Amino acid sequence: MNISSTVCALSTPVGTGGIAVIRVSGGSAFPICQKILKNKGKKLSERPSHQAFFSDIIDSTSGELLDQGLILPMKGPGTFTGEDTVEIDCHGGMYICRRILETLVQAGCSMAQPGEFTKRAFLNGKLDLTQAEAIMDMIDAGTRYSLKAASSQLKGRLLLEADELRNELLSMLVDIEVNIDYPEYDDLPEISDDDIQQKSMDINQRIKKLLVTADSGIRLREGLSTAIIGLPNVGKSSLLNRLLREERAIVTNIPGTTRDIVSEMADLQGLPVRLIDTAGIRETGDLVESLGVKRSFDAIEKSDLVLFVSDREFLLEEELKLLQSIGSKTWFFLINKTDTLQHEKASLEAILQKLSEEKLPLPRRVIHISALTGEGIDELTEEIRETFFSEDVLEKDMPLVTNLRQKEALIRASEALDRVTSSAGMPQDLLSIDLHEAADALGDLTGKSARDDVITQIFSRFCLGK
Amino acid sequence: MYQEQGADVAVIGGGHAGCEAALACARLGLKTILFAISLDSIAQMPCNPSIGGTSKGHLVREIDALGGEMGKNIDKTYIQTRMLNTAKGPAVHSLRAQADKFRYKETMKLTLEHTPNLRIRQNEIVKIHTEALEGSEGERKITGVETATGAYYPCRAAIICTGTYLNSRCIHGEYETLTGPNGMQSARGGLTENLASLGLPLRRFKTGTPARVDGKTIDFDKMTVQEGDAHIVPFSFENTADGIRREQKPCYLTYTNEKTHEVIRANLHRSPLYGGVIHGIGPRYCPSIEDKVVRFADKERHQLFLEPEGENTEEYYVQGMSSSLPEDVQRDMLRTIPGLEHVEIMRTGYAIEYDCIDPLFLEETLQIKTIRGLYSAGQFNGSSGYEEAAAQGLVAGINAAMALLEKEPLKIDRTNSYIGVLIDDLCTKGTNEPYRMMTSRAEYRLMLRQDNADLRLTPEGYRVGLISQERYEAFLQKKAMIEKEILRLQQTRALDEEGHSHGLMSDLLKHPENTYESLAAWDQGREPLPEAVWQQAEIQIKYEGYIRREEAAIAHFHKLEKRQIPEDTDFLSIQGLRLEARQKLNAVRPLSVGQASRISGVSPADINVLLVYLARKNSMKEEGEDTK
């Protein structure tokens, strides 16, 4: 991230209201925005801070009128990011937003990376790290369920649970350590080897329960990576449009500005589904043409779910070739009713038979859809929910692991406790190595470090000394 | 003031820190002079009559591996020795010896007297002379020291080891004396004021000691006798068990009871601790008996040990009864204890307050940050304990010598020694109470065993010049033997009486129930080896999995240590850092991210902020270079 640049991004989900807000932040926010505004008033830099005004919004090169809206200039450091900031309230359509962002980029802005405003706010001293993390999660929450995950996080449910587990580990460590450092005391409570084993297993169970929800939790935050593949003209673009329009898409990136493979977030009845390489599908209309093949392989590589679209109930040679690249990924076989639906019926069994013969992976589900009418999309949504989002996570109010850092910390703690179990019979001071490791891992999650805590507790709980 | 013959190094104080510091400097060839307020206080043990114990025993073994004296001196003068924690893993086995206090200090003094390059002088240092350091901003360098009698000794380095003597005050209930420990003269001639005027941040700490009682008036039959070990392990790697074997004296265990606690509670109003007379900060781990009774009110009894003060004395130390209550209360409470019904006190217990420095003001060499050539060690640095003091004295002595000899400072850190943990804790975390070493403070405890202190530190002791060529070669030979035996065990099949193979010896050894000795019958081709050799082979094989992981953790530690923080970093202005973290970082001024991460009050989240800041600063620097 280059903090000296000026960045822009859409700050509201497209279409959730009639108005969208585009935010521009950085040292050149005012002069850049000046280039896309046309009105009779003063220059942006001469206007009072934090006072909105009405203006035409134009294409900076052609002068074409793009939209009209309210412009709010705000001078740093009294802004969220601490930098000069301009907010542009425009109409909420995806096309308009895209055009305005494009012209801002032409005028000298860079597209903001996800969470960049928060990062800037943090780097400019406007937020501390924990606040920043929680806000980033809230911002990233694209859908109803994501928001739920983020707010559970904000309430600190995961942190509370991790802290409690850590305290139990610390208390066990205190019992072990005090006997090591004060062996001559005969009245200290000794913790038995069995106790250590039992408690470690109990704590490990609770960590593993948290981990079960981790993949779903992370998916809620980041969206389920999904690739749409298939031969030309089977209806991939119409499926894409259907998925994005069905519940109104949130554009997280603009093609060609930041990444090679662009993804868009679809909201399927609250489930965040990130469709990979939507640009590829849009630009070329298909992925199997010359350059398209490699792209579809890349998309498969990055995905958790592959939607394989076909418009007939049997498989062509090229399709079999494409399916070879799926490997062990979960895939759904979507049979799309197109206008030119070829009624060359073959039984589903025959298809599965064929796949087995070719030693190709079988689809998790086969779903008949119509990208044009929307038929079967509900069923698709239901299958996605069932396969990828655990019920526990969606409906129950339990602590959620929503990012990789948290997941890794929990795995580290759990592995350390596994080692305590497999090392039964070893002296306690050696078991304490892994108990410390587990406590440290949980401390990484909660932001605390263990060793001083153990020593403090030793002296507050026991009566020791000459 | 008149001029005396100067020295390279002046050591101020002759306690455990001062002795090691002076010996190290003199042995490294520097003209050294040691000042003590009384020569009778050299190597004095004013509190417990023992050396070692959990983690402290480790320190003594490490001092020995680096070429220090404490281990050798206690081996010459112990009257009981025990290995503690033998039921636990090898990392926490801890050696402790009861010392003959009188012989301990007399023997140490004789060693000092017989060391070339070393002069001993009874006198009080009242002033450190300094001059501005050329080419620096506000830094100074030492030029000499001045005694209370008006003598000026020019020197190139000085090491402050004033222990509990500096501006000290002893309190026994209502009765106070302006004395040092054990009735010795206090250092009140102006050194405190002088150090303060040099800008050193001084503070006041407190500690205490129990009464000494007359052994003739103790009924030992009412107590549990505690003998020493038959299997003797010397502290010094240069000694053998047979070489130091001697008759041992027992200690005795007894307990306080409800009556004792009643006496204490009834007299709490006369306690200087609770009456507000004592302002110094006392340690949590050696609370006075009145403290224990107040803080742990529901405890029915507290353990006490009666420990002999020496061979040629009837005096016993009452471990567990440290107190600053008036002496009549001390007498009354002692007499409630089984076996002490008719006890006669010989020396009253007391609390002592003294001046010391905030160790955050020290570099890891133990040099004071603002005065080139001025070092400090021991209780003056906020620690507690003879072993902690000796370890620092050795480090300060070596580093002062290395600086004068223009050689690299001593290479120690948290990954290779308890001494490293001690120094880093003091200089990086600081302390709000007299600091005591504990095994729990060491992150890499399994690597820092008392049995392998020589393997960890002998090469460094040899490099700085305190380990002789002869000893170093013996060490190399031992190391080769250990490696050879490990290799043999990894390649040898265990064969039972009928010649059936049970797999490799090294694999069998990893089972918790097997030991090197228990597998002897199945181990064909085993040659008799010294215990110190096969023991190392056994430990290194048996705990290989844990050792590997600690080694990985150590590698990570070194990685963070290498992430340097520029010396001119303005921590106070780093946005995103919590205010507390900014202040703590600014106080310590860590030189690496690793060091920063150990500062108390700096959280992992703060470290992330610091990493972001450093990365950003680097990238801004690069951007700046790009545009040039």
Side-chain angles (χ1 to χ4, degrees), chain A residues 10 14 20 22 90-101:
Chain A
L10 193 58
V14 178
I22 290 171
C90 58
H91 290 98
M94 191 198 294
Y95 175 77
I96 290 172
C97 292
R98 198 172 279 187
R99 285 294 302 273
I100 295 175
L101 286 168

Side-chain angles (χ1 to χ4, degrees), chain A residues 78-90:
Chain A
T79 61
F80 174 72
T81 57
E83 304 168 333
D84 285 352
T85 302
V86 178
E87 284 188 2
I88 302 168
D89 288 10
C90 58

